[in-house]
Amino acid sequence: MATTDDSFNGLTEHCEDCDLDTPHEVSVQLRTESRKEENAQFSREPYRVAECKRCGTRTSQRMNNA
Ligand SMILES: [Zn+2]
């Protein structure tokens, strides 16, 4: 675990675009993966979204590995 001195609400992660470790704002989004509306409520997957505060690039990862 990285520790930071500031109180920034986020994490420092490596950004591919910046090629640096930069502050990221991290949030979780639910995304619907199914095209069928009737199944939508069963197919929402939580994604962890990290946005680079330096260049604005967003990266997302599915949190479930099921
Ligand atoms: Zn960046």
Side-chain angles (χ1 to χ4, degrees):
M1 288 289 280
T3 55
T4 54
D5 293 329
D6 58 38
S7 59
F8 177 72
N9 181 25
L11 297 169
T12 300
E13 296 187 6
H14 184 77
C15 174
E16 296 284 337
D17 279 19
C18 297
D19 197 24
L20 289 171
D21 288 344
T22 61
H24 281 66
E25 187 173 293
V26 178
S27 61
V28 175
Q29 293 182 345
L30 289 177
R31 294 189 184 177
T32 302
E33 295 189 326
S34 174
R35 294 182 192 170
K36 291 185 178 182
E37 284 186 26
E38 61 192 85
N39 291 331
Q41 64 184 309
F42 301 115
S43 58
R44 284 189 188 168
E45 296 288 344
Y47 277 77
R48 179 183 181 279
V49 179
E51 181 176 334
C52 176
K53 302 301 285 182
R54 186 170 183 268
C55 72
T57 294
R58 286 187 179 188
T59 55
S60 59
Q61 298 182 291
R62 189 197 277 194
M63 296 177 75
N64 287 345
N65 292 322

